[in-house]
Amino acid sequence: EASYFEVPYHNSTHAADVLQTVHWILKKGGAASYLARIEILAVLCAAVAHDVGHDGKNNDFHKHIVSDRAISFNDRSIQENYHASTIFRAMKQDPSIDIFGNLNDEQAAMLRSTMIEMILMTDMSRHFEKLTAFKSVVEEVGQTKDRWENHKIVLLDLLLHSADISNQAKHHEMASKWTDCALSEFFAQGDEEKKRGLPQSQLCNREVTHRARSQIKFIKYIVLPTYTALGELLPAVRNEIVPRIHENLFQWNLLNRPVLSPLHGDLPDSLTLDVTKDPYPRKASTPTTATRQCWSPVLEGEEENGQRPLSQDMAISRTSLQF
């Protein structure tokens, strides 16, 4: 845990969130029934270690500044290679934390190779590659467990990846908090890129990135297709998680909807009430306790601390605007 940096998003809390989500997909989602015990151990350990040492910058940033990490890994999955190598180097240097020390050579080699594969496949540039591979296997073998014997790594890759992008699969209040953590980190990178005269990475330019729209696109093109595919194999994911993703998409669309001002009568479509005014300071600061409390994901049950859907809390008329 101490090897995780104090950055707004890719910190030890994110690792714990991914670990908890992997556990849910394994146990309540039913994925564990397709895997051997050592494979379950591998994906749990990979969840803990998958972002260890993340410095809050993406692969493109490291590539553009030709960082030591970029040089070490030849510009290929820079951060992911760094995370994988960091955890195994630490265990080699300090045998007291080598939890695999009692495994035989065959088991240790299998565990290491599987963890490395999964961590490297969390690289978002490989998203469509792994999603296509998974959908192809599901179409070929369906839910017949013994036919998955030669395709375990495809399932493991998507399992860890889906947990890594699971923010918008949580209740909206928690999904919104995670969104703010992520955008805070992205904007800090964008500010640094601007300062260095580098092209600003996608979602890192605070001047043009719209909070709600960024999540609408992420859900529609990344999160929802991933969990829909996973739900074809795991009915619990289809029945419990996919509807929540749809609900979050609905909530973000509400925040993206133009609102008429009660003070000026009918207004042109171009005039809107900006409910997503940039809340992020331009100057990067040390993450606060509030930033680090993007935690305690809820993946079961439909109660959300008595909160009603936003559509029930907001009533709009020509003469009043009530929340």
Side-chain angles (χ1 to χ4, degrees):
E1 183 176 6
S3 296
Y4 274 88
F5 292 179
E6 290 288 336
V7 293
Y9 183 79
H10 289 101
N11 49 49
S12 59
T13 303
H14 166 67
D17 176 58
V18 172
L19 174 63
Q20 190 273 343
T21 306
V22 166
H23 179 265
W24 190 97
I25 297 173
L26 286 169
K27 188 173 182 180
K28 294 206 68 175
S33 64
Y34 289 84
L35 302 169
R37 293 179 66 188
I38 195 169
E39 292 163 339
I40 293 173
L41 175 62
V43 70
L44 290 172
C45 290
V48 172
H50 81 283
D51 272 331
V52 67
H54 201 295
D55 60 354
K57 305 297 190 294
N58 65 20
N59 287 334
D60 282 344
F61 181 87
H62 281 279
K63 181 179 178 180
H64 288 150
I65 70 169
V66 194
S67 68
D68 289 342
R69 296 188 187 192
I71 293 172
S72 296
F73 303 110
N74 299 311
D75 294 347
R76 296 181 180 179
S77 298
I78 299 165
Q79 291 282 42
E80 293 74 23
N81 271 297
Y82 180 84
H83 306 323
S85 65
T86 296
I87 190 65
F88 286 105
R89 183 180 297 108
M91 288 192 291
K92 184 175 182 179
Q93 292 174 347
D94 184 1
S96 68
I97 65 170
D98 184 3
I99 62 173
F100 310 137
N102 291 325
L103 299 177
N104 62 42
D105 291 345
E106 182 181 357
Q107 291 172 325
M110 180 271 182
L111 195 66
R112 171 174 157 78
S113 64
T114 304
M115 285 181 62
I116 291 173
E117 163 70 13
M118 284 187 284
I119 293 173
L120 293 185
M121 287 298 282
T122 61
D123 185 344
M124 280 301 299
S125 69
R126 305 184 70 178
H127 167 77
F128 293 104
E129 173 189 346
K130 54 183 165 269
L131 182 58
T132 299
F134 180 82
K135 292 167 70 174
S136 177
V137 175
V138 171
E139 184 177 349
E140 177 185 347
V141 306
Q143 297 179 346
T144 307
K145 291 182 174 62
D146 58 1
R147 297 185 67 190
W148 275 88
E149 188 60 35
N150 297 323
H151 306 288
K152 300 284 192 70
I153 194 62
V154 175
L155 173 57
L156 289 166
D157 284 344
L158 196 76
L159 200 166
L160 180 60
H161 175 59
S162 62
D164 196 23
I165 61 170
S166 66
N167 297 160
Q168 299 304 320
K170 312 295 168 63
H171 284 296
H172 186 70
E173 180 182 5
M174 186 58 59
S176 182
K177 290 179 180 179
W178 277 120
T179 296
D180 290 341
C181 291
L183 289 179
S184 178
E185 186 172 298
F186 296 166
F187 291 166
Q189 174 180 315
D191 293 344
E192 181 66 19
E193 288 170 328
K194 185 176 182 180
K195 180 180 177 181
R196 289 172 174 261
L198 299 172
Q200 289 181 287
S201 300
Q202 186 177 17
L203 300 180
C204 293
N205 186 341
R206 68 172 68 246
E207 303 297 336
V208 300
T209 300
H210 188 284
R211 181 171 180 264
R213 289 176 204 151
S214 69
Q215 299 313 298
I216 291 169
K217 291 180 179 179
F218 189 56
I219 291 173
K220 289 176 65 176
Y221 299 115
I222 302 296
V223 181
L224 188 55
T226 299
Y227 277 89
T228 299
L230 193 60
E232 291 299 310
L233 180 68
L234 307 174
V237 171
R238 179 178 65 244
N239 296 332
E240 297 187 43
I241 303 304
V242 172
R244 183 162 298 129
I245 298 171
H246 279 288
E247 173 62 19
N248 276 324
L249 182 59
F250 172 77
Q251 297 288 357
W252 288 118
N253 271 309
L254 282 181
L255 292 174
N256 191 41
R257 185 176 299 171
V259 180
L260 293 181
S261 167
L263 304 177
H264 299 89
D266 294 325
L267 297 175
D269 291 341
S270 60
L271 295 180
T272 63
L273 175 63
D274 183 8
V275 296
T276 57
K277 188 175 181 180
D278 181 11
Y280 310 103
R282 294 179 182 277
K283 183 178 180 181
S285 58
T286 302
T288 63
T289 300
T291 299
R292 300 280 285 135
Q293 288 177 342
C294 294
W295 171 229
S296 187
V298 180
L299 282 169
E300 59 187 82
E302 294 303 320
E303 294 298 325
E304 194 162 356
N305 300 322
Q307 286 195 338
R308 295 173 295 171
L310 181 59
S311 57
Q312 296 178 18
D313 289 331
M314 182 170 65
I316 302 175
S317 70
R318 284 291 302 275
T319 58
S320 66
L321 183 62
Q322 301 175 345
F323 291 90

